[in-house]
Amino acid sequence: MTEEIRNWMGSRSTRPSKIKEVHSVEDIIEAVTNHDEYPSPVRALGSRHSPTDCIDADGGTVLDMRSMNKIEDPNVNQMTITVGAGASYYDVSRLLEASGLMHYINTEFGNLSAGAAAVAQTKDSAFPGEHGQVCSYVVAMKIVTAEGKILEVSEEGDPQMMHYLRGSYGMLGVVYEVTYKVTTLKLMKLYHKVFTLEGFLENLDDIRACGCSVFFYFLIELDYVIVEYRSYQPPEVLETVYEKTSGDGVLSKRLLSVTSDWQYGLRNKLWAYLSPMAGSIVQVAVPRPLKDVMYSIAGYATMAALATLAGYNIRPASQTLTYAEKPFLPGLIFSFSFFAFRIASYPQALRDYFAFAKDYKRRTGWRCSTPSVGYHLHKDTGSFLSYSAEGEVMTVDPVSTIDEGWEPFLDEFNKFCSPRGGKPLFNQTARVTSQQFQAAYGPQLRDFGKLRKKMDADGRFLSGFFKDRCGF
């Protein structure tokens, strides 16, 4: 056995027999075809930020893909960019911005590797007419199959195979190259509004129809909801000029208009650092009688900070942040969960969640140390595992620093959400049972299972986690 691999939070681990750093497709083919040297399951390693056991490769082989991070110049004719599976979303976003382009989804999690973006489930609030799952903007990928062959698949050439590859979590092969569909750079307007819980639900139809991408912070003990609104500015706001860069002759765009990124810099520091640290201090150091007071103060401070946070010429890529390889302070280690609900059932589900979280605190004395959040996504059939394939959804995402109370809370949270028709994610909803996954995705998993068996009869890429949770 090799050394243990742990996720970023330190909450999940796996102990493979072999870890291989790959630098080329030939390295991948060697690992996949040499069963004696590289035992099954063969699993690709990304940024390790998943809080679930999808990291599992016990007794098998882990392929460290991070060196396969080449980013090609954007194809402005086809409006695409092709990158290695190890390229981070943050690095791709910055290169696109320098070229006057951007991702359709400027997800907040910049450590996301292209390989994971292509085949795993993600989340981000969608703009009108757009998607909130990154894989839906992956239009081509190259993989190494269980037979060691190279398979090139594109949306144009084989949309059905792309439908299954998106969401396949590496069970059909090792992805080594990804092509994203991109769009012209636009600037964003950002602002926040504060609602009571009932005021939010009373205005939900208007919020959904406002023409913005909307994201939510849930202050449960205070019965407040903060709505973050994002919208694109008209194209004429962005003045650009083409200029030859030194040396390589590649055209890039320099922004002449006044742009900014401090708003998301402040918002991201609040979300990624200040809120977890404050929550951790309260959880550990503040006596129980004072905890509620401190959390209330933190909640009102959050409302005050976000209510005044606004901007009109924000660069979309500034939303994307990267986390250090290891948290430099224990208090910055936080985790999250996720369930998506159809829009018709969401108002009651959210009311029930507020009541559930309060009751859980009353019964156990434990509560999430940071605000819960929520996303709004439109219908999206790009992946066979799309949680919004049947229509518009909104989500409930608990977030907390990790202590001994987090996982017992998740067990009850999962039992709360599943009977209400909530859909979890294999890589973001920890401690979900096989039965709960089957309730959410049973028919889709059975169809996918037939293809997986055809392409990988011996289970070369099938880990124990996915075998159990998918019912394979």
Side-chain angles (χ1 to χ4, degrees):
M1 289 286 184
T2 61
E3 71 270 18
E4 183 180 64
I5 296 175
R6 302 191 72 85
N7 65 355
W8 182 84
M9 302 88 168
S11 60
R12 293 290 181 270
S13 66
T14 188
R15 194 175 288 276
S17 292
K18 197 90 171 184
I19 300 174
K20 180 179 177 64
E21 183 175 326
V22 298
H23 299 272
S24 67
V25 64
E26 289 77 19
D27 289 344
I28 300 172
I29 292 172
E30 177 192 8
V32 170
T33 56
N34 189 342
H35 291 234
D36 293 333
E37 183 72 16
Y38 301 100
S40 299
V42 176
R43 302 291 298 168
L45 178 70
S47 66
R48 301 175 296 106
H49 279 73
S50 169
T52 81
D53 285 313
C54 70
I55 194 176
D56 172 40
D58 286 353
T61 301
V62 165
L63 303 182
D64 187 339
M65 305 292 294
R66 287 175 288 184
S67 293
M68 294 194 70
N69 59 0
K70 180 181 178 181
I71 305 174
E72 297 183 6
D73 292 329
N75 185 326
V76 294
N77 293 320
Q78 297 183 2
M79 294 298 284
T80 61
I81 188 168
T82 298
V83 305
S88 77
Y89 212 77
Y90 178 87
D91 289 342
V92 179
S93 295
R94 291 302 178 182
L95 187 147
L96 287 171
E97 182 179 79
S99 303
L101 302 170
M102 70 178 196
H103 282 296
Y104 277 92
I105 300 172
N106 288 278
T107 186
E108 62 199 40
F109 179 56
N111 299 75
L112 177 69
S113 68
V119 299
Q121 295 164 298
T122 62
K123 62 189 180 187
D124 205 82
S125 288
F127 284 86
E130 297 182 6
H131 303 308
Q133 300 176 64
V134 175
C135 67
S136 293
Y137 290 107
V138 171
V139 294
M141 61 182 93
K142 296 179 181 179
I143 72 171
V144 175
T145 69
E147 296 177 344
K149 296 180 179 179
I150 293 175
L151 178 63
E152 300 183 22
V153 186
S154 70
E155 178 69 21
E156 182 179 4
D158 194 344
Q160 184 176 22
M161 180 59 76
M162 283 295 293
H163 182 72
Y164 282 112
L165 280 172
R166 301 183 190 118
S168 63
Y169 282 97
M171 288 182 276
L172 299 182
V174 179
V175 178
Y176 68 92
E177 185 178 282
V178 172
T179 299
Y180 294 108
K181 181 181 179 181
V182 299
T183 187
T184 304
L185 180 64
K186 308 176 188 70
L187 296 181
M188 267 190 346
K189 178 181 178 181
L190 168 75
Y191 63 98
H192 298 78
K193 288 185 178 180
V194 178
F195 296 85
T196 64
L197 172 60
E198 288 305 317
F200 170 73
L201 295 176
E202 289 171 4
N203 287 277
L204 188 56
D205 288 344
D206 291 337
I207 293 170
R208 290 166 49 214
C210 69
C212 298
S213 165
V214 288
F215 172 76
F216 317 115
Y217 300 87
F218 302 129
L219 306 178
I220 292 172
E221 295 296 329
L222 302 178
D223 280 324
Y224 278 104
V225 178
I226 305 170
V227 180
E228 178 178 293
Y229 295 85
R230 300 179 300 167
S231 60
Y232 290 133
Q233 295 284 47
E236 57 268 21
V237 172
L238 180 62
E239 300 176 40
T240 61
V241 68
Y242 283 92
E243 165 183 272
K244 288 268 184 142
T245 59
S246 58
D248 58 9
V250 177
L251 288 175
S252 64
K253 285 187 175 182
R254 175 174 294 174
L255 308 185
L256 296 182
S257 58
V258 177
T259 64
S260 64
D261 58 11
W262 69 265
Q263 292 90 347
Y264 269 103
L266 177 59
R267 183 259 207 190
N268 290 340
K269 285 182 174 61
L270 175 67
W271 181 241
Y273 303 112
L274 298 179
S275 182
M277 179 60 72
S280 181
I281 291 172
V282 174
Q283 287 279 55
V284 174
V286 175
R288 179 170 290 186
L290 295 178
K291 285 185 188 293
D292 287 346
V293 175
M294 295 303 296
Y295 279 126
S296 294
I297 293 173
Y300 284 117
T302 299
M303 280 194 286
L306 291 178
T308 59
L309 188 60
Y312 295 91
N313 293 321
I314 300 173
R315 297 191 295 276
S318 66
Q319 299 169 90
T320 303
L321 73 155
T322 56
Y323 293 88
E325 181 73 14
K326 292 182 179 180
F328 60 88
L329 289 173
L332 297 180
I333 302 176
F334 66 94
S335 192
F336 49 87
S337 191
F338 173 102
F339 270 88
F341 297 88
R342 292 290 300 276
I343 198 66
S345 62
Y346 189 74
Q348 191 58 52
L350 187 63
R351 281 194 189 95
D352 291 348
Y353 174 65
F354 270 59
F356 159 80
K358 292 174 184 177
D359 181 66
Y360 188 87
K361 174 181 171 293
R362 180 187 58 78
R363 290 187 288 109
T364 68
W366 191 91
R367 53 159 288 169
C368 293
S369 61
T370 61
S372 297
V373 298
Y375 299 83
H376 173 230
L377 298 94
H378 306 297
K379 183 175 182 177
D380 182 357
T381 59
S383 163
F384 85 98
L385 274 185
S386 171
Y387 48 89
S388 62
E390 298 172 345
E392 180 185 1
V393 300
M394 299 177 82
T395 76
V396 173
D397 301 45
V399 184
S400 183
T401 49
I402 300 175
D403 61 14
E404 68 281 355
W406 174 238
E407 292 196 343
F409 170 82
L410 290 182
D411 289 337
E412 291 209 25
F413 174 68
N414 296 345
K415 292 176 183 177
F416 164 84
C417 292
S418 187
R420 289 171 169 80
K423 289 185 180 291
L425 305 187
F426 283 90
N427 61 339
Q428 298 187 42
T429 315
R431 303 181 68 83
V432 177
T433 66
S434 176
Q435 291 78 12
Q436 289 165 339
F437 275 123
Q438 293 294 321
Y441 301 107
Q444 298 95 314
L445 290 172
R446 286 190 287 274
D447 288 342
F448 174 75
K450 296 174 185 176
L451 176 62
R452 189 210 65 79
K453 186 70 173 177
K454 180 180 179 181
M455 293 184 64
D456 183 17
D458 296 328
R460 187 67 170 140
F461 305 120
L462 184 61
S463 69
F465 170 77
F466 283 107
K467 182 178 181 180
D468 174 73
R469 299 307 193 275
C470 297
F472 296 151

